[in-house]
Amino acid sequence: QVQLVESGGGLVQAGGSLRLSCAASGRTASNSAMGWFRQAPGKEREFVAAISWRTGSTYYADSVKGRFTISRDNAQNTVYLQMNSLKPEDTAVYYCAARKPFLVLTTTPSLFDYWGEGTQVTVSS
């Protein structure tokens, strides 16, 4: 079992930056592919970024490529999402998610097994 707790959301002006953190607990958390997803009001949950458990390979949605960076600190069981050059359309609840240990990376929300409660990110124009 893996428990996930997000933090770091807030209100920021367009062009600003935020850093989200996802603290994972559970002895196999460091062996899990991790991802960030977001959901805006009235929209479906969408993929933002993901990182593999073994090689550290990363994947990004086209809408955030070049602006967002996902990283992980396995010693701290924490995954980060650095968000720069934020836009109003980035406003959403951001969720951290994890696959069961040793599974390959995916960008499909339904294939992630564990989810955090989410943290609100609001970007004002």
Side-chain angles (χ1 to χ4, degrees):
Q1 191 76 6
V2 175
Q3 293 81 41
L4 306 172
V5 179
E6 304 98 334
S7 61
L11 173 64
V12 64
Q13 289 188 333
S17 298
L18 282 174
R19 187 196 197 200
L20 305 184
S21 299
C22 174
S25 61
R27 59 180 180 171
T28 56
S30 62
N31 297 319
S32 297
M34 304 287 293
W36 287 96
F37 296 81
R38 67 187 181 187
Q39 188 166 18
K43 295 188 177 181
E44 292 187 354
R45 191 167 298 188
E46 65 173 2
F47 167 73
V48 175
I51 187 166
S52 69
W53 67 270
R54 186 172 64 88
T55 65
S57 298
T58 56
Y59 296 90
Y60 297 93
D62 287 342
S63 58
V64 307
K65 204 171 293 182
R67 300 188 297 122
F68 291 10
T69 303
I70 188 171
S71 61
R72 66 189 301 161
D73 183 340
N74 285 341
Q76 299 293 326
N77 274 351
T78 301
V79 175
Y80 304 97
L81 186 68
Q82 178 67 44
M83 305 186 295
N84 299 327
S85 302
L86 283 161
K87 305 175 181 180
E89 51 264 43
D90 294 317
T91 295
V93 177
Y94 283 70
Y95 297 91
C96 176
R99 296 205 76 190
K100 289 181 179 177
F102 310 116
L103 296 181
V104 297
L105 190 59
T106 179
T107 62
T108 305
S110 61
L111 296 180
F112 281 77
D113 303 288
Y114 308 106
W115 291 85
E117 294 293 318
T119 185
Q120 177 70 47
V121 171
T122 303
V123 184
S124 63
S125 57

